Amino acid sequence: MSRWQGRIPLFVGVTGHRDLHPEEVPSISRRLRTFFEGLRAALPSTPIVVLSKLAEGADQLVASIAIESGCESACVLPFELAAYRAAFSSEAARVEFDRLRSAGVLHELPDVFDGTESADQSYARVGHYIARHAMILLALWDGANSTRPGSTADVVNTRATGWVGPGVGIVHHLQVRRRGRDRLPLTEGEDRHQMRAGILAERFQSLSASDAIRNCGWSNAEEFNSAVLAGKRIDDAQGAQPFALIHDPRFVDVAAVLAAARSLSAEAQRAVRRRKIMLQVIAFFAAIAFAIIFRTNGARILLWIYLGLLAAALVLRTLMRRQNVHRRYLDYRCLTEGLRVALFWRLAGVQSDPGVHTITVRLISRQDPSLTWIASTLSGLAGWIGRLELPPGFDGCDFAAEHWLGSSTSNDAGAQIPYYRHAAQRRRRVAAQLDRIAHVALICGVATAASLAILPADWVGHAAPTLLAFMGILPLVSSTAGAIADLPEEFGVARQYEGMADLLEKAGERLKASGSDAERREVLFEVGTAALAEHSFWHTVFRERAPESRVRI
């Protein structure tokens, strides 16, 4: 069972000094409690997970207050547990570490401990991991520079120099004093690197919880999580497909988010289509009512029907704009594609931790800042998988070939080749049927008008009013069917789908012909980047259009 039932957690990373000034601890604690309680109040549907080393000092203080405030804690180990416990300077720190560790999750990095790196290098590896994968980095920092790898200044510099995805760089800086020293102001004579750290200290000011949420665009993720809770769509069986063989709990967590994003994306797509059809039908009947009123000076009831239809159309358009169904569809589809690539890449060993940067850059770079939450989600969830435990004899490349690519005859509903083939066929079939209705209605309208123009009046007789009505209604039927079909776009999207299916089929053939795992991983990397690039194009093109004007891809 997944930890968050398909919801997206907000990861808050922690970096800070081990030797906080004792006189400042009560004040820091109050500020931290206010911050976490503000996050919890503003994000009732979002799990909040604090990532830290649980080192003595700042890490343990933040984790303790976060747990008290109803948040979760995850300890990211720099090296093996026994060796890490032995590295604490006091028994009290070890006792607090054990208490906090038992209340949260023990998280191991994807890299295997090999014992060849120094303690500072291990701490730096964990600090850089937290800087890359946390949505918000909480820095309890005095603002002074340090050249030591893994120091607080090093982690903040890592965060600031673009190791995370585009637009993801929120740092909540709590300026603190260290035991036995005060931060001194920088002077012009100090070196360039140290001056840079001072600039960073001034740049990252202390934020309120609402500011942090707004800056990382997390209101959209909260909307996603609320929809997951409201719909209760994700069960164990659905979340496990097609990953039922993978029992690693953190992988299951991410797979459940993928299932939720896929479900919500499909639901939003259906809502866009339904509302577009409703708008066209309302316009059709409003035009008929207007024509009857115009030609017959009809009863007042027809005028009220006409006004009611216009009011219904206005209400529907307003709801579509306020609910942002179109935006949610595109965003959730974007999230689905990114998570799908991240999971299959990870299983196939294409890329582990660094792969998240490729995913976020390929998928949402050069797009608007409102997509920051998707970059944050992909970054956080890709890192959450950690060290992955796979079944004996598991071949990730074969698994990706079967369940990611599939084939034209595959029965796997999640495989992409049959999905694109069936989606293209369905779009062509529906568009062709509506086009046929529009064409037949137009022909009938022309025939009706021609009969009225050619036939003598005494031949038409009492049928003339009926024929006139048909002459007006049939072009409306034709135009309504054409508007619902939106033929150029429907056939264009069908061609895009067929192009993606062709690309994936060629990749499948290359996988079968590959002679080594390295070649197969290279093919899967190319498949993932191509899929992300194509989806980025779709998202860019369709996001800017009015939500009621097109049926979306």
Side-chain angles (χ1 to χ4, degrees):
M1 183 176 182
S2 70
R3 187 181 314 274
W4 306 299
Q5 291 78 47
R7 292 176 294 162
I8 302 170
L10 175 69
F11 291 109
V12 179
V14 180
T15 184
H17 302 301
R18 300 184 186 187
D19 52 350
L20 298 175
H21 199 293
E23 293 179 359
E24 288 199 345
V25 170
S27 173
I28 295 171
S29 300
R30 286 193 297 271
R31 294 166 67 187
L32 289 172
R33 191 169 287 105
T34 299
F35 181 74
F36 283 114
E37 289 177 352
L39 288 180
R40 279 264 45 92
L43 303 173
S45 303
T46 297
I48 298 173
V49 182
V50 174
L51 300 173
S52 73
K53 302 183 297 294
L54 289 185
E56 51 193 306
D59 284 12
Q60 291 187 356
L61 177 64
V62 172
S64 178
I65 292 175
I67 293 172
E68 291 174 7
S69 302
C71 304
E72 301 177 33
S73 173
C75 172
V76 188
L77 287 178
F79 35 86
E80 296 292 353
L81 177 60
Y84 186 48
R85 287 187 76 258
F88 282 91
S89 63
S90 67
E91 183 61 27
R94 270 188 289 274
V95 170
E96 180 67 1
F97 170 77
D98 291 337
R99 182 183 75 84
L100 295 172
R101 177 173 59 87
S102 64
V105 176
L106 198 64
H107 189 83
E108 296 180 333
L109 298 185
D111 302 325
V112 177
F113 302 125
D114 56 11
T116 61
E117 61 185 11
S118 67
D120 282 350
Q121 289 173 327
S122 297
Y123 288 130
R125 186 159 56 94
V126 170
H128 296 166
Y129 164 89
I130 292 173
R132 284 195 297 270
H133 295 294
M135 287 76 167
I136 299 171
L137 180 64
L138 186 59
L140 279 66
W141 181 34
D142 65 357
N145 186 46
S146 172
T147 59
R148 183 173 59 84
S151 65
T152 302
D154 177 49
V155 174
V156 173
N157 272 286
T158 297
R159 180 75 169 194
T161 51
W163 279 46
V164 291
V168 188
I170 307 304
V171 176
H172 179 48
H173 177 210
L174 274 67
Q175 192 158 12
V176 299
R177 283 193 302 154
R178 303 175 68 177
R179 186 170 51 244
R181 69 180 84 173
D182 293 321
R183 188 174 73 92
L184 299 176
L186 296 173
T187 65
E188 293 182 1
E190 292 178 315
D191 62 41
R192 180 179 179 185
H193 187 67
Q194 190 168 7
M195 180 66 74
R196 181 183 187 186
I199 293 172
L200 288 174
E202 294 182 4
R203 171 182 163 194
F204 297 128
Q205 300 300 321
S206 180
L207 302 173
S208 66
S210 59
D211 289 336
I213 293 169
R214 183 176 61 254
N215 289 348
C216 65
W218 208 251
S219 57
N220 289 335
E222 172 67 13
E223 181 183 60
F224 176 96
N225 291 334
S226 298
V228 172
L229 287 180
K232 297 180 180 178
R233 300 170 183 80
I234 308 305
D235 56 29
D236 290 343
Q238 182 184 12
Q241 298 301 326
F243 306 109
L245 292 175
I246 314 300
H247 300 296
D248 185 275
R250 283 174 288 279
F251 190 93
V252 172
D253 294 339
V254 181
V257 178
L258 169 61
R262 190 165 50 208
S263 175
L264 292 178
S265 173
E267 180 180 305
Q269 183 185 35
R270 290 191 295 269
V272 170
R273 287 176 172 170
R274 283 196 306 267
R275 295 180 186 193
K276 177 188 174 182
I277 292 173
M278 289 173 62
L279 277 176
Q280 298 295 342
V281 170
I282 288 172
F284 172 75
F285 284 109
I288 290 178
F290 176 79
I292 295 174
I293 294 170
F294 180 78
R295 292 192 59 84
T296 64
N297 194 23
R300 184 176 293 271
I301 186 64
L302 289 175
L303 181 59
W304 283 109
I305 291 173
Y306 176 75
L307 291 174
L309 290 170
L310 292 186
L314 180 61
V315 169
L316 184 59
R317 286 174 59 90
T318 302
L319 286 175
M320 291 177 71
R321 291 185 182 277
R322 289 186 176 180
Q323 295 176 355
N324 279 323
V325 179
H326 160 63
R327 187 267 302 163
R328 285 191 280 116
Y329 164 59
L330 289 179
D331 285 1
Y332 298 167
R333 185 178 172 88
C334 184
L335 178 61
T336 300
E337 192 67 24
L339 287 174
R340 179 185 291 115
V341 172
L343 288 176
F344 281 107
W345 272 4
R346 188 63 189 283
L347 290 176
V350 175
Q351 287 188 327
S352 56
D353 193 34
V356 66
H357 185 68
T358 300
I359 292 171
T360 54
V361 169
R362 298 272 181 173
L363 187 60
I364 60 177
S365 62
R366 298 182 300 278
Q367 298 198 31
D368 61 78
S370 64
L371 297 180
T372 297
W373 75 277
I374 298 179
S376 298
T377 298
L378 293 174
S379 179
L381 291 178
W384 179 250
I385 296 174
R387 189 181 302 176
L388 188 58
E389 297 181 6
L390 296 175
F394 180 83
D395 190 318
C397 292
D398 286 346
F399 184 86
E402 179 182 357
H403 296 288
W404 183 10
L405 305 185
S407 66
S408 297
T409 59
S410 174
N411 293 322
D412 190 338
Q416 295 298 282
I417 291 175
Y419 166 77
Y420 282 121
R421 290 291 185 209
H422 296 159
Q425 293 171 3
R426 183 177 64 252
R427 284 181 175 277
R428 286 189 179 278
R429 183 174 61 252
V430 173
Q433 291 172 349
L434 288 171
D435 183 45
R436 194 174 298 114
I437 292 173
H439 193 65
V440 170
L442 194 57
I443 291 175
C444 292
V446 170
T448 302
S451 64
L452 286 173
I454 296 172
L455 296 177
D458 56 342
W459 285 24
V460 177
H462 296 293
T466 302
L467 293 175
L468 284 171
F470 274 108
M471 188 175 69
I473 291 173
L474 289 172
L476 280 175
V477 173
S478 177
S479 61
T480 301
I484 293 174
D486 201 357
L487 297 179
E489 182 175 307
E490 287 294 293
F491 285 121
V493 172
R495 285 193 296 271
Q496 286 179 313
Y497 281 178
E498 289 167 350
M500 283 300 301
D502 292 338
L503 182 149
L504 295 174
E505 283 189 340
K506 291 178 181 177
E509 294 171 0
R510 288 179 58 196
L511 278 175
K512 293 178 182 178
S514 298
S516 67
D517 287 343
E519 290 181 11
R520 294 196 295 167
R521 291 187 180 111
E522 181 63 28
V523 172
L524 291 174
F525 178 79
E526 293 175 6
V527 168
T529 53
L532 294 171
E534 185 72 9
H535 195 85
S536 175
F537 169 76
W538 291 346
H539 197 284
T540 303
V541 169
F542 291 107
R543 185 178 174 86
E544 296 303 325
R545 300 186 183 181
E548 67 275 14
S549 63
R550 293 287 188 273
V551 175
R552 305 298 164 185
I553 58 174

